[in-house]
Amino acid sequence: LKDQFDNLDKHTQWGIDFLEKYAKFVKERIEIEQNYAKQLRNLVKKYCPKRSPKDEEPRFTSCIAFFNILNELNDYAGQREVVAEEMGHRVYGELMRYSHDLKTERKMHLQEGRKAQQYLDMCWKQMDNSKKKFERECREAEKAQQSYERLDNDTNATKADVEKAKQQLNLRTHMADENKNEYAAQLQNFNGEQHKHYYIVIPQIYKQLQEMDERRTIKLSECYKGFADSERKVIPIISKCLEGMILAAKSVDEHRDSQLVIDCFKSGFEPPGDFPFEDYSQNIYRTISDGTISTPKQEGMRNDSKTTVGKAKGKLWLFGKKPKPQSPPLTPTSLYTSSTPNGSQYPIFSIEPVHYCMSDIKTGKPRISSFRSLKRGGPALEDFSHLPPEQRRKKLQQRIDELNRELQKETDQKDALIKMKDVYEKNPQMGDPGSLQPKLTETMSNMDRLRMEIHKNEAWLSEVEGKVAARSDRRHSSDINHLVTQGRESPEGSYTDDANQEVRGPSQQHAHPNEFDDEFEDDDPLPAIGHCKAIYPFDGHNEGTLAMKEGEILYIIEEDKGDGWTRARRHNGEEGYVPTSYIDVTLEKNSKGA
């Protein structure tokens, strides 16, 4: 059993080393979990939306689903942190504490075994010393006996020598007997200690080492189980996270996203109308029937008109082509009749064909898209008139809702202050009622201000909604009129209910071809179709706009086409665009088709 003690020493040391090796494995696994959770959180943080409440974007279902997936992934990262924490507390920490206790216990058992072995060795040495001493005394006694026998048989020896040898023999024999007794006692003691050592002490120490090693094995088994339990505990939550990701994926609705895009970019503008038919053959009929205009002159006039049109096309203004004044209405005197072979008569307009080409340039509507691109650089207006009608309506509605919420807060605060004031008046010891008056006054002032803002924005909203409804009705009626009365259209393509308004006045009867010469930019101003009064002042910093003061009277030369801007002119002839919501417009009767 002595050699097995060293083997057990090595085995228990290997067991502790293996325990520490597994603890190191768990530590590295914990670091992996922590790094994984950290990287997942950084990934979620990187792709999470960073949007302020004021800058709300359309909440597409695909974006919402992605944000929900990020939230679920963040929760999943949290569960990985829980796994790492559970492993660190339940497995790694327990292993390190048990390893320390195991080392201490193993050291104690090995020390006890070494002490027992040292004590047995000491007993063996004492027994061996007594044995050697007994052996030595026995040899000395044998020598003394031989000397005595030799002197006793020698006749020449004296009696004194014989007596001395006899006494020496007795002494050595006595000492040999004493050493014999001591050796027997030591031998008996050693045998007893050796039996105790190998049958009681050492087996007990080995049993303790065995129990220690078995507890180490059990602890490893428990740690293996705890390692798996740490992962298994979070599986239900991780499954919920994955189910949340699947539900987020199923919540994506392509039709709803498309509707959001439509609502976001819906402008409220009407599509452009049909181009009118421009009858250039009327001049040919007039030449054939009248014969007053020679062919060379007509050709020269056409060449001059083409040159003028080319210059006009090269002349650009702020909104594309510069709007030109509309021609005054024709009168019956500007018409004459021509007979056909079957005897029927038809009206002939006294106007050059080139006028029809130039009338589109003169009466052309400014490009709304160009003006909007110009306004993007400027500051946003309070009434959102820089936005398309539909977007303006949405913004105004949002502002009205916010103002109503603020007004409700102020109302609740006023009610609370009034109640507190009543309490102070009934119980003066609780506070001074007069101290609440400034706050109450401020709250009432805020409520009045909010009501005014709400009223102003509701007026703008009603204006926008009225214009949208009017445009819808106008478009519906124009479609009907276009189907019913296609024959009564002016050359500019504008339809009028009164047939007398379709003819032109005398001023156009004497129109001269020199009207479209090189002085194209000096055309006559557009006729006024009404007047307006400025309700609010307008700075007009941007190019193409007209500054005005509150109460100023301006002429209206072009109505609002749905973009929130009206074209006006001062008495001195200065023209420009002003916000429709800043003015009070009064239109003249029958002026829309002028």
Side-chain angles (χ1 to χ4, degrees):
L1 293 177
K2 183 178 180 180
D3 57 343
Q4 301 302 324
F5 186 83
D6 295 336
N7 292 334
L8 292 178
D9 185 7
K10 294 179 181 179
H11 173 73
T12 52
Q13 182 62 42
W14 172 85
I16 294 176
D17 293 340
F18 182 78
L19 185 71
E20 293 180 344
K21 183 178 181 180
Y22 179 70
K24 185 178 180 181
F25 162 77
V26 174
K27 181 181 178 181
E28 292 182 358
R29 170 65 188 278
I30 291 172
E31 293 176 354
I32 291 174
E33 291 289 347
Q34 291 175 345
N35 294 332
Y36 180 49
K38 183 179 179 181
Q39 291 177 1
L40 285 179
R41 289 193 182 277
N42 291 337
L43 181 66
V44 172
K45 184 178 180 181
K46 178 180 178 181
Y47 286 94
C48 268
K50 300 177 181 178
R51 182 177 63 252
S52 61
K54 295 182 180 179
D55 187 18
E56 289 292 339
E57 297 180 357
R59 301 289 289 177
F60 298 107
T61 56
S62 57
C63 297
I64 296 175
F66 178 63
F67 298 154
N68 292 335
I69 290 175
L70 290 178
N71 292 330
E72 297 295 343
L73 188 61
N74 191 53
D75 296 339
Y76 177 81
Q79 296 307 310
R80 304 319 306 178
E81 292 176 347
V82 171
V83 170
E85 183 179 357
E86 186 72 13
M87 287 183 179
H89 175 71
R90 184 176 177 181
V91 181
Y92 179 73
E94 188 67 23
L95 284 174
M96 296 307 295
R97 286 192 297 270
Y98 187 75
S99 176
H100 181 267
D101 297 339
L102 201 63
K103 289 180 181 179
T104 304
E105 184 180 358
R106 172 181 173 275
K107 183 179 180 181
M108 181 186 66
H109 294 325
L110 293 178
Q111 286 179 352
E112 291 178 354
R114 290 189 181 96
K115 285 181 180 180
Q117 187 65 40
Q118 290 174 0
Y119 180 72
L120 183 62
D121 292 343
M122 183 187 67
C123 293
W124 182 83
K125 286 181 181 180
Q126 290 179 355
M127 184 271 297
D128 187 60
N129 290 334
S130 63
K131 177 182 177 182
K132 290 179 180 180
K133 189 177 180 180
F134 171 64
E135 183 182 3
R136 188 174 60 251
E137 290 297 333
C138 287
R139 284 195 300 268
E140 291 294 332
E142 289 178 358
K143 288 180 181 180
Q145 185 178 3
Q146 290 176 1
S147 177
Y148 171 73
E149 289 178 353
R150 182 174 54 79
L151 288 176
D152 186 38
N153 294 328
D154 188 5
T155 57
N156 294 325
T158 61
K159 187 177 181 178
D161 292 336
V162 173
E163 190 65 28
K164 184 178 178 181
K166 185 179 180 179
Q167 291 178 356
Q168 187 68 26
L169 174 61
N170 293 332
L171 178 63
R172 290 296 178 184
T173 302
H174 178 70
M175 291 180 65
D177 292 339
E178 289 182 353
N179 286 317
K180 180 181 178 180
N181 295 332
E182 184 179 358
Y183 167 66
Q186 291 295 334
L187 180 61
Q188 184 178 2
N189 181 55
F190 172 75
N191 289 333
E193 293 296 333
Q194 181 176 261
H195 184 275
K196 181 181 178 180
H197 176 79
Y198 286 110
Y199 287 94
I200 299 176
V201 178
I202 290 299
Q204 185 177 2
I205 293 174
Y206 285 177
K207 185 178 181 180
Q208 291 174 352
L209 289 174
Q210 180 182 355
E211 291 175 354
M212 181 194 71
D213 191 66
E214 289 176 353
R215 290 197 305 270
R216 175 190 64 82
T217 306
I218 293 173
K219 178 60 67 175
L220 280 174
S221 176
E222 292 176 354
C223 290
Y224 294 159
K225 183 179 178 182
F227 184 86
D229 288 340
S230 301
E231 187 83 21
R232 186 173 60 182
K233 283 182 179 180
V234 300
I235 288 179
I237 303 178
I238 291 177
S239 299
K240 290 183 179 179
C241 295
L242 297 177
E243 290 176 2
M245 294 181 184
I246 295 175
L247 291 176
K250 292 181 179 179
S251 66
V252 176
D253 187 354
E254 66 277 9
H255 301 294
R256 182 179 176 186
D257 288 353
S258 299
Q259 188 62 38
L260 284 174
V261 175
I262 294 172
D263 294 340
C264 180
F265 298 107
K266 185 179 181 181
S267 63
F269 292 134
E270 296 180 8
D274 297 337
F275 279 93
F277 176 76
E278 299 177 358
D279 190 3
Y280 294 98
S281 62
Q282 296 178 3
N283 189 46
I284 300 175
Y285 296 151
R286 185 186 64 178
T287 304
I288 296 174
S289 61
D290 192 1
T292 58
I293 302 176
S294 62
T295 303
K297 183 177 180 181
Q298 181 68 19
E299 294 295 332
M301 185 182 300
R302 290 183 181 179
N303 292 336
D304 185 30
S305 301
K306 290 181 181 179
T307 305
T308 307
V309 171
K311 293 182 179 180
K313 289 182 179 179
K315 191 72 173 179
L316 298 178
W317 196 53
L318 171 64
F319 310 105
K321 300 177 181 180
K322 182 176 179 181
K324 299 301 177 181
Q326 298 177 348
S327 301
L330 295 174
T331 60
T333 57
S334 63
L335 302 173
Y336 63 94
T337 60
S338 177
S339 300
T340 60
N342 58 6
S344 61
Q345 295 182 350
Y346 56 89
I348 297 298
F349 290 95
S350 59
I351 182 170
E352 298 297 336
V354 72
H355 177 72
Y356 294 100
C357 300
M358 300 306 300
S359 61
D360 183 53
I361 302 177
K362 296 170 70 176
T363 61
K365 179 183 175 182
R367 296 176 182 266
I368 300 303
S369 58
S370 302
F371 189 74
R372 288 177 61 196
S373 63
L374 174 68
K375 289 298 294 178
R376 288 193 190 102
L381 299 177
E382 181 184 7
D383 59 348
F384 302 110
S385 57
H386 61 288
L387 297 176
E390 187 66 23
Q391 302 300 323
R392 182 186 179 193
R393 184 186 64 78
K394 291 182 180 179
K395 291 290 185 180
L396 288 173
Q397 188 62 49
Q398 291 177 2
R399 180 186 289 175
I400 291 173
D401 295 340
E402 293 175 359
L403 292 174
N404 285 325
R405 287 193 292 268
E406 294 179 6
L407 180 60
Q408 184 62 37
K409 291 181 181 179
E410 295 293 337
T411 304
D412 296 340
Q413 184 176 1
K414 183 197 72 171
D415 296 340
L417 290 173
I418 292 175
K419 291 181 180 179
M420 188 179 296
K421 185 177 179 182
D422 294 340
V423 173
Y424 286 174
E425 289 177 352
K426 294 178 181 179
N427 301 301
Q429 66 274 10
M430 297 182 66
D432 183 16
S435 62
L436 301 177
Q437 189 60 37
K439 186 65 177 178
L440 189 60
T441 304
E442 180 183 356
T443 304
M444 297 293 290
S445 177
N446 292 337
M447 291 175 62
D448 294 339
R449 177 181 57 80
L450 291 173
R451 289 194 184 97
M452 292 177 62
E453 289 290 332
I454 292 173
H455 180 71
K456 182 169 63 174
N457 284 274
E458 286 178 347
W460 288 335
L461 181 61
S462 300
E463 176 189 354
V464 174
E465 292 176 346
K467 286 185 177 180
V468 172
R471 281 199 303 274
S472 178
D473 295 341
R474 184 168 64 249
R475 181 181 179 186
H476 180 68
S477 62
S478 63
D479 293 340
I480 297 176
N481 293 334
H482 179 72
L483 295 174
V484 176
T485 59
Q486 293 182 357
R488 293 195 290 123
E489 287 189 358
S490 65
E492 287 78 6
S494 60
Y495 170 76
T496 57
D497 295 333
D498 189 359
N500 295 329
Q501 294 182 8
E502 296 180 6
V503 296
R504 298 186 177 273
S507 58
Q508 184 130 7
Q509 182 179 2
H510 306 287
H512 197 272
N514 293 334
E515 180 183 357
F516 304 103
D517 58 3
D518 293 339
E519 302 294 333
F520 179 73
E521 64 273 9
D522 295 332
D523 292 309
D524 295 333
L526 293 175
I529 61 175
H531 64 277
C532 66
K533 181 179 180 181
I535 305 176
Y536 307 105
F538 178 63
D539 296 334
H541 293 307
N542 294 322
E543 183 180 0
T545 58
L546 180 65
M548 63 181 180
K549 298 179 180 179
E550 184 177 357
E552 185 176 358
I553 303 298
L554 303 173
Y555 292 115
I556 300 298
I557 57 177
E558 187 176 321
E559 286 187 82
D560 183 3
K561 303 300 182 181
D563 56 357
W565 295 89
T566 301
R567 191 176 179 188
R569 180 172 62 234
R570 282 202 179 92
H571 296 283
N572 58 5
E574 184 179 0
E575 296 181 2
Y577 285 88
V578 296
T580 306
S581 58
Y582 281 42
I583 57 176
D584 183 12
V585 179
T586 302
L587 298 177
E588 302 295 337
K589 292 183 179 180
N590 298 329
S591 61
K592 184 173 180 180

Short mmCIF file of all heavy atoms in Angstrom, two decimals, residues 9 29 167 234 266 276 287-288 302 315 326 341 399 444 586:
data_model
loop_
_atom_site.label_atom_id
_atom_site.label_comp_id
_atom_site.label_asym_id
_atom_site.label_seq_id
_atom_site.Cartn_x
_atom_site.Cartn_y
_atom_site.Cartn_z
N ASP A 9 -1.90 10.29 -4.71
CA ASP A 9 -1.48 11.69 -4.71
C ASP A 9 -1.54 12.26 -6.13
O ASP A 9 -2.08 13.35 -6.37
CB ASP A 9 -0.08 11.79 -4.13
CG ASP A 9 0.38 13.24 -3.99
OD1 ASP A 9 -0.46 14.15 -4.21
OD2 ASP A 9 1.56 13.46 -3.65
N ARG A 29 -16.34 30.43 -22.29
CA ARG A 29 -17.70 30.41 -22.83
C ARG A 29 -18.48 31.64 -22.37
O ARG A 29 -19.25 32.25 -23.13
CB ARG A 29 -18.41 29.14 -22.40
CG ARG A 29 -19.91 29.12 -22.71
CD ARG A 29 -20.19 29.13 -24.20
NE ARG A 29 -21.60 29.30 -24.49
CZ ARG A 29 -22.49 28.30 -24.48
NH1 ARG A 29 -22.12 27.06 -24.19
NH2 ARG A 29 -23.76 28.54 -24.76
N GLN A 167 32.84 -13.77 36.14
CA GLN A 167 32.04 -12.56 36.39
C GLN A 167 31.73 -11.81 35.09
O GLN A 167 30.60 -11.31 34.89
CB GLN A 167 32.79 -11.64 37.36
CG GLN A 167 32.90 -12.20 38.77
CD GLN A 167 33.69 -11.28 39.68
OE1 GLN A 167 34.23 -10.26 39.23
NE2 GLN A 167 33.81 -11.66 40.98
N VAL A 234 -33.47 29.99 -20.74
CA VAL A 234 -33.78 31.14 -21.60
C VAL A 234 -34.39 30.71 -22.92
O VAL A 234 -34.77 31.56 -23.73
CB VAL A 234 -32.52 31.99 -21.86
CG1 VAL A 234 -31.95 32.50 -20.56
CG2 VAL A 234 -31.46 31.17 -22.60
N LYS A 266 -49.36 62.79 -51.96
CA LYS A 266 -50.54 63.31 -52.63
C LYS A 266 -50.55 64.83 -52.56
O LYS A 266 -50.47 65.41 -51.49
CB LYS A 266 -51.80 62.74 -51.97
CG LYS A 266 -53.08 63.12 -52.66
CD LYS A 266 -54.26 62.48 -51.96
CE LYS A 266 -55.57 62.83 -52.65
NZ LYS A 266 -56.72 62.23 -51.94
N PRO A 276 -56.49 72.41 -76.68
CA PRO A 276 -57.57 72.77 -77.62
C PRO A 276 -57.12 72.59 -79.08
O PRO A 276 -55.93 72.62 -79.38
CB PRO A 276 -57.83 74.24 -77.30
CG PRO A 276 -56.53 74.76 -76.80
CD PRO A 276 -55.90 73.61 -76.05
N THR A 287 -58.62 84.03 -97.00
CA THR A 287 -57.87 84.52 -98.16
C THR A 287 -58.58 84.15 -99.45
O THR A 287 -58.69 84.94 -100.38
CB THR A 287 -56.46 83.93 -98.15
OG1 THR A 287 -55.84 84.25 -96.92
CG2 THR A 287 -55.63 84.45 -99.31
N ILE A 288 -59.11 82.93 -99.47
CA ILE A 288 -59.81 82.49 -100.68
C ILE A 288 -61.08 83.30 -100.89
O ILE A 288 -61.39 83.75 -101.99
CB ILE A 288 -60.12 80.99 -100.59
CG1 ILE A 288 -58.82 80.20 -100.56
CG2 ILE A 288 -61.02 80.54 -101.73
CD1 ILE A 288 -59.03 78.72 -100.32
N ARG A 302 -45.74 85.27 -92.33
CA ARG A 302 -45.51 84.01 -91.64
C ARG A 302 -44.04 83.88 -91.28
O ARG A 302 -43.71 83.41 -90.19
CB ARG A 302 -45.96 82.83 -92.53
CG ARG A 302 -47.46 82.75 -92.68
CD ARG A 302 -47.86 81.53 -93.49
NE ARG A 302 -49.30 81.47 -93.64
CZ ARG A 302 -49.92 80.51 -94.33
NH1 ARG A 302 -49.21 79.57 -94.95
NH2 ARG A 302 -51.24 80.51 -94.42
N LYS A 315 -36.88 83.22 -74.97
CA LYS A 315 -37.05 84.16 -73.86
C LYS A 315 -37.68 83.42 -72.69
O LYS A 315 -38.85 83.07 -72.74
CB LYS A 315 -37.96 85.32 -74.33
CG LYS A 315 -38.00 86.49 -73.34
CD LYS A 315 -36.69 87.26 -73.35
CE LYS A 315 -36.79 88.52 -72.50
NZ LYS A 315 -35.52 89.26 -72.50
N GLN A 326 -53.81 88.37 -71.91
CA GLN A 326 -54.80 87.73 -72.76
C GLN A 326 -55.46 88.76 -73.67
O GLN A 326 -55.61 89.93 -73.31
CB GLN A 326 -55.86 87.04 -71.90
CG GLN A 326 -55.28 85.93 -71.03
CD GLN A 326 -56.33 85.33 -70.15
OE1 GLN A 326 -57.41 85.89 -70.04
NE2 GLN A 326 -56.00 84.21 -69.52
N PRO A 341 -70.24 76.45 -101.20
CA PRO A 341 -71.01 76.08 -102.40
C PRO A 341 -72.43 75.68 -102.10
O PRO A 341 -73.32 75.88 -102.92
CB PRO A 341 -70.21 74.90 -102.97
CG PRO A 341 -68.82 75.14 -102.51
CD PRO A 341 -68.93 75.77 -101.17
N ARG A 399 -51.50 70.60 -37.08
CA ARG A 399 -51.28 71.75 -36.19
C ARG A 399 -52.52 72.03 -35.35
O ARG A 399 -52.42 72.35 -34.16
CB ARG A 399 -50.89 72.98 -37.00
CG ARG A 399 -50.63 74.22 -36.14
CD ARG A 399 -50.39 75.45 -36.97
NE ARG A 399 -49.10 75.39 -37.63
CZ ARG A 399 -48.70 76.32 -38.49
NH1 ARG A 399 -49.51 77.34 -38.81
NH2 ARG A 399 -47.51 76.23 -39.05
N MET A 444 -55.00 82.12 -18.75
CA MET A 444 -56.09 82.64 -19.57
C MET A 444 -55.56 83.27 -20.85
O MET A 444 -56.14 83.12 -21.93
CB MET A 444 -56.90 83.67 -18.77
CG MET A 444 -57.59 83.08 -17.53
SD MET A 444 -58.90 81.92 -17.96
CE MET A 444 -60.10 83.06 -18.65
N THR A 586 -61.67 89.63 -54.29
CA THR A 586 -63.00 89.95 -54.85
C THR A 586 -62.86 89.92 -56.36
O THR A 586 -62.14 90.75 -56.94
CB THR A 586 -63.48 91.33 -54.38
OG1 THR A 586 -63.53 91.35 -52.95
CG2 THR A 586 -64.86 91.62 -54.94
#
